[in-house]
Amino acid sequence: MNAEQLIADVEQDVLTWRRHLHANPELSFQEHKTADYIIEQLTRFGGLKISRPTATSVVAYLQGVAEGPCYALRADIDALPLQEKNDEPFCSTNPGVMHACGHDAHTAMLLGAARVLCQMREQLKGSVCFIFQHAEELPPGGAQELVDLGYLDDVSMIFGLHVFPTVPTGIVNMKQGIFSAACDNFDIVIQGKGGHGSTPQYCIDPIVIGAEVATSLQNIVARKIDPLTVPVLSITTFQAGASYNVIPDSARLAGTLRTHNREVREKVPQLVEQTVAGICQAHGASHKISWTRGFSSGDNHPDACAIARQVVADALGPDALEEVYTPLFGGEDFSSYQEKRPGCFLFIGCGNDAIGATHGLHNPYFKLDEAALQVGVKLHVGFIRQLLMR
């Protein structure tokens, strides 16, 4: 039986798997039942060497009949701390947790590809590594953990897919080179001197100082960085006080830094320190800044992109691929694999106005056009056919 027929035959199972996973989401590092379910399905396919590198991740190897290189396919499996607001029959049954980033779809696509490729084992000249990765949503991410455990040591190249609701179903986006941002988070604590709200002259008001800090930090991206490499620096939390008439002792500001340039990534924290220190010193306050380093920038390798171009054309037609030239400021821990081995990460359209699949990722109303599931299976299978069957 040919690949096209095998892919068609797995369509209903992929849909079932995706809906089960969507109804039963689990947060990063808590994906125990998700991993159990993945192993249950993989075991039924036969011929796979299945392992559990961490408590909540799964890796499976398919060895072909002939020796050859190993190529990896990756899906992420964790969900988000978000209350779903859709009304579909397979909505999340776990309060406050939702697959709002499509990881349920990614997992189902890769399960479908694994089943198809198991049935095509006799044509494989090499091996396939199927990575069902935990904790993509929580920096520094599960990918780095698997890299550190050596699961990419024998891999020649890796491919990953991500659904994208702002792109219509049937269209695939690819950005050669840097395609996503490095993501680092920061906390700033300003220590002032509290007192009664009626006598601010006796206080060192951390709220006023914090407001000045929040405004002044934007001068870093507006005036102190080359505009061709400009990052995004966002204050997303400002916490201080709990009373109408009490000036608090301290204030906390927190936020995120997104960069595409390595030098800028190192430079901005220094500029943040200089800015906050100067303002606090001027007002007689003290401060403390801590950084949590997150994902690095995703970087699609030219060789992997060349393979992806051919696979998309073969699987979906010559007009399916749209190459983009501006990287996203979102983060993706697939970058940890790409720092170890060449790889390509594609965005597959899942938007469909007719069914309301129009909301963005990480939105409580996020839904996807399930026709995109077969697109993902075709591409995963296509990568391996291109590399190990021709």
Side-chain angles (χ1 to χ4, degrees):
M1 194 175 292
N2 62 35
E4 288 72 22
Q5 185 60 54
L6 292 172
I7 292 170
D9 289 346
V10 82
E11 180 176 4
Q12 187 57 50
D13 285 333
V14 172
L15 187 65
T16 299
W17 296 329
R18 184 260 162 169
R19 292 184 175 185
H20 172 88
L21 293 164
H22 190 86
N24 298 276
E26 294 178 297
L27 296 174
S28 301
F29 296 107
Q30 300 176 31
E31 312 98 324
H32 298 280
K33 292 181 180 179
T34 302
D36 290 343
Y37 184 77
I38 292 167
I39 290 174
E40 179 185 349
Q41 307 312 316
L42 292 173
T43 302
R44 293 174 177 174
F45 303 162
L48 291 167
K49 180 182 177 183
I50 304 168
S51 65
R52 200 156 179 163
T54 69
T56 60
S57 62
V58 179
V59 174
Y61 287 93
L62 177 64
Q63 178 61 56
V65 294
E67 292 298 318
C70 178
Y71 292 96
L73 305 173
R74 174 268 204 169
D76 36 17
I77 69 173
D78 55 329
L80 288 159
L82 198 65
Q83 181 62 47
E84 183 163 11
K85 295 184 178 179
N86 291 314
D87 58 359
E88 294 173 305
F90 51 88
C91 280
S92 172
T93 59
N94 188 356
V97 184
M98 177 190 176
H99 271 298
C101 202
H103 295 187
D104 52 338
H106 305 164
T107 302
M109 293 169 184
L110 190 55
L111 282 171
R115 197 179 89 174
V116 170
L117 291 169
C118 282
Q119 294 173 285
M120 301 178 72
R121 178 177 173 272
E122 297 298 320
Q123 301 177 47
L124 280 178
K125 299 178 178 66
S127 60
V128 186
C129 175
F130 302 96
I131 299 175
F132 296 88
Q133 180 215 304
H134 61 307
E136 191 279 331
E137 297 289 357
L138 190 63
Q144 188 59 54
E145 193 171 7
L146 296 183
V147 169
D148 292 342
L149 289 170
Y151 280 86
L152 244 65
D153 289 356
D154 297 325
V155 168
S156 298
M157 191 174 285
I158 184 168
F159 295 89
L161 305 175
H162 201 302
V163 293
F164 220 55
T166 57
V167 176
T169 302
I171 299 298
V172 178
N173 280 184
M174 183 180 75
K175 164 70 171 68
Q176 183 168 309
I178 300 296
F179 70 88
S180 67
C183 308
D184 302 312
N185 298 332
F186 60 87
D187 280 89
I188 303 170
V189 176
I190 297 170
Q191 186 64 48
K193 179 183 177 183
H196 201 285
S198 65
T199 55
Q201 67 272 27
Y202 300 125
C203 305
I204 299 174
D205 191 338
I207 295 178
V208 173
I209 298 168
E212 187 175 342
V213 165
T215 301
S216 297
L217 287 181
Q218 296 309 308
N219 286 327
I220 292 175
V221 297
R223 291 292 181 268
K224 296 182 179 180
I225 299 290
D226 183 341
L228 295 177
T229 61
V230 67
V232 168
L233 179 68
S234 296
I235 303 290
T236 56
T237 299
F238 195 145
Q239 298 171 331
S243 174
Y244 287 108
N245 61 356
V246 177
I247 293 174
D249 283 325
S250 64
R252 172 180 173 263
L253 291 80
T256 186
L257 170 68
R258 305 297 176 101
T259 55
H260 294 137
N261 180 286
R262 292 183 180 180
E263 292 181 1
V264 171
R265 187 184 191 186
E266 303 303 325
K267 183 178 181 180
V268 171
Q270 300 171 22
L271 295 173
V272 170
E273 172 63 33
Q274 292 172 12
T275 301
V276 177
I279 293 171
C280 287
Q281 184 178 12
H283 292 282
S286 60
H287 74 286
K288 181 179 180 181
I289 303 176
S290 59
W291 287 84
T292 302
R293 198 167 177 89
F295 311 147
S296 297
S297 296
D299 190 353
N300 282 337
H301 194 278
D303 293 346
C305 287
I307 293 164
R309 288 187 188 97
Q310 186 62 55
V311 169
V312 173
D314 290 346
L316 306 175
D319 299 323
L321 182 66
E322 293 182 351
E323 300 213 31
V324 296
Y325 301 96
T326 302
L328 300 171
F329 272 106
E332 169 56 61
D333 83 339
F334 191 81
S335 59
S336 295
Y337 301 120
Q338 292 177 311
E339 289 182 320
K340 182 76 174 180
R341 291 290 184 265
C344 184
F345 194 75
L346 299 175
F347 295 93
I348 62 175
C350 67
N352 186 336
D353 292 349
I355 63 170
T358 58
H359 297 281
L361 302 173
H362 293 221
N363 186 298
Y365 291 101
F366 168 77
K367 64 170 64 175
L368 57 85
D369 182 355
E370 292 180 318
L373 298 172
Q374 281 298 89
V375 174
V377 176
K378 288 178 181 179
L379 294 181
H380 277 313
V381 172
F383 295 137
I384 302 308
R385 292 180 72 194
Q386 179 75 16
L387 291 163
L388 296 179
M389 297 185 187
R390 295 181 177 176

